[in-house]
Amino acid sequence: MLILGIESSCDETAAAVLEDGTKLLSNIINSQIDVHKKYGGVVPELASRRHIEDIYPVVHEALAQANVTLDRIDGLAVTRGPGLIGSLLVGLSFAKALSFVKKIPYVGVDHMAGHLLSVFLEESKPDFPFVALVASGGHSTIFYVSDPVTFHVMGRTLDDAAGEAFDKVAKLLGLEYPGGPVISRMAKTGDAKAIHFPRAWLSRESLDFSFSGVKTAVVNCVHRNNLKGILPNVPDICASFQEAVVDVLVKKTIRAVRLTGAQRIVLAGGVAANERLREVMRESGNREGFEVFMPSPEFCTDNAAMIALAGYYSFENASTLTYDMDVYSRSPGFRQWHKMA
Ligand code: KG4
Ligand code: ZN
């Protein structure tokens, strides 16, 4: 079965062709970083306009690289949400048009489901159930995943997402957008113990996150230095900030695995490309005797291969040839995980 995946939820226009849920024939990603860089974040209106320009060439290139025509595609998988409404509409409308003209059934995919399952694009695949941490620019959520289409939320961020905190701290330090890659680069030459930034554990049992406090602590640290006329030590701030975020992400994920007895951890989302997070999660998980799985960095950040894959898993039950499907900016609500008595 050949699936054409289409992703346009934020600032990447992407298309991919996946065969039988395992063999990736092409994976094209057109990033809009150059458009948004000067604003220090994604400008929704500019993002939608750029998606409109890029969607046709990106899909065309994905088909060409896979060496297939639309006539060979059995199904379309397209991101429905969460994300920027204008951006999502470009991808969904394009998929609907292809579906209508070529009579190819399509399925709307939740972007988070794509991230959660992206690890299945790798050789080493986890068994079910597992606990997944999805940390991206829009989300920091811990899921209990019992099969490819059943996800329960164990914890989520109450304010900023982890990636958003990286992006905001980078902007404050005068570093470029997106902040994650540049902070992780700068952190390599800094001392992670130089400054103790706060960790928001919330209540003792809580698996929720909060990253606005650590962000404010960085603001205060920079202002204090400014008042004293001292130039902030950017590598030390980056390393110490990164350590604080990684510490909370890892410890809460480990706690979630202990609670469920799942024994397996999956790391996903753009922040999962962070080398320090990967290292600490692997070490901490292995110490507990848990298996730790993570996609290669190219599949952590937004891509259409993960959308094609998630679409593949839900295709049998969810595909359609009707055209009333809409996009959504927030996930309509995954069910909450509850410990069995
Ligand atoms: O998953 P993604 O591409 O898009 C969303 O769904 O949001 O994630 C993008 C986020 C950005 O906030 C970016 O700064 C962060 O992932 N990110 C990183 C790294 N690479 C990307 N954060 C920390 N370390 C990285 N190496
Ligand atoms: Zn994403």
Side-chain angles (χ1 to χ4, degrees):
M1 183 183 201
L2 278 187
I3 301 240
L4 170 65
I6 298 176
E7 154 66 35
S8 69
S9 64
C10 191
D11 59 344
E12 267 95 24
T13 321
V17 178
L18 183 71
E19 187 176 353
D20 297 332
T22 50
K23 197 168 167 204
L24 191 57
L25 303 185
S26 64
N27 186 30
I28 308 299
I29 303 169
N30 191 72
S31 168
Q32 304 180 356
I33 286 177
D34 55 332
V35 177
H36 305 289
K37 213 174 205 165
K38 54 180 168 293
Y39 304 102
V42 178
V43 183
E45 178 61 23
L46 297 182
S48 326
R49 290 183 197 193
R50 188 65 180 258
H51 283 303
I52 291 173
E53 287 170 21
D54 291 343
I55 188 102
Y56 176 77
V58 165
V59 169
H60 189 269
E61 184 61 23
L63 292 168
Q65 274 198 18
N67 203 17
V68 295
T69 59
L70 272 179
D71 296 321
R72 290 219 20 231
I73 297 293
D74 301 299
L76 306 167
V78 59
T79 309
R80 272 185 82 182
L84 303 170
I85 291 292
S87 295
L88 288 162
L89 278 171
V90 176
L92 181 63
S93 308
F94 194 84
K96 281 181 181 174
L98 287 184
S99 165
F100 183 74
V101 171
K102 297 301 238 178
K103 298 286 171 281
I104 309 171
Y106 74 101
V107 62
V109 171
D110 189 280
H111 185 79
M112 300 291 277
H115 276 305
L116 272 177
L117 297 172
S118 56
V119 74
F120 288 91
L121 293 163
E122 301 294 344
E123 285 282 303
S124 164
K125 303 177 199 328
D127 287 331
F128 293 96
F130 56 78
V131 165
L133 169 69
V134 181
S136 69
H139 302 269
S140 301
T141 309
I142 300 178
F143 289 98
Y144 178 72
V145 183
S146 36
D147 62 54
V149 291
T150 315
F151 322 121
H152 286 87
V153 172
M154 300 188 72
R156 55 158 54 99
T157 184
L158 304 179
D159 40 57
D160 291 347
E164 192 179 355
F166 271 94
D167 295 338
K168 287 180 175 168
V169 164
K171 192 171 181 178
L172 171 82
L173 295 172
L175 304 173
E176 65 187 22
Y177 173 84
V182 61
I183 287 187
S184 109
R185 230 176 16 251
M186 301 289 288
K188 285 194 177 130
T189 57
D191 174 6
K193 294 201 175 83
I195 308 150
H196 184 83
F197 286 125
R199 277 81 164 145
W201 301 113
L202 308 172
S203 74
R204 220 167 67 87
E205 294 298 307
S206 176
L207 294 173
D208 288 333
F209 299 107
S210 166
F211 294 108
S212 62
V214 63
K215 181 192 66 189
T216 308
V218 176
V219 173
N220 292 339
C221 169
V222 171
H223 284 174
R224 266 197 313 274
N225 280 334
N226 284 346
L227 286 176
K228 290 184 201 153
I230 306 168
L231 274 180
N233 182 326
V234 175
D236 280 357
I237 295 177
C238 289
S240 303
F241 161 76
Q242 177 177 268
E243 204 62 17
V245 174
V246 166
D247 195 17
V248 179
L249 289 175
V250 171
K251 290 202 172 121
K252 294 216 173 207
T253 306
I254 297 279
R255 189 183 298 165
V257 184
R258 284 198 200 122
L259 275 174
T260 60
Q263 305 291 313
R264 289 172 212 100
I265 299 172
V266 166
L267 194 55
V271 181
N274 184 277
E275 281 177 41
R276 182 70 184 144
L277 175 60
R278 296 169 81 88
E279 180 185 324
V280 178
M281 189 69 89
R282 197 174 278 123
E283 280 171 12
S284 306
N286 291 344
R287 207 178 305 129
E288 299 273 335
F290 303 152
E291 286 182 281
V292 182
F293 298 85
M294 45 190 92
S296 52
E298 60 168 325
F299 295 132
C300 289
T301 43
D302 287 350
N303 64 84
M306 67 183 194
I307 302 302
L309 184 81
Y312 171 81
Y313 283 118
S314 59
F315 215 80
E316 231 164 71
N317 304 319
S319 69
T320 180
L321 275 165
T322 60
Y323 299 104
D324 53 357
M325 186 182 286
D326 205 352
V327 297
Y328 49 79
S329 59
R330 292 172 168 272
S331 284
F334 292 100
R335 273 181 294 161
Q336 194 72 29
W337 180 84
H338 292 289
K339 194 170 169 58
M340 305 284 265

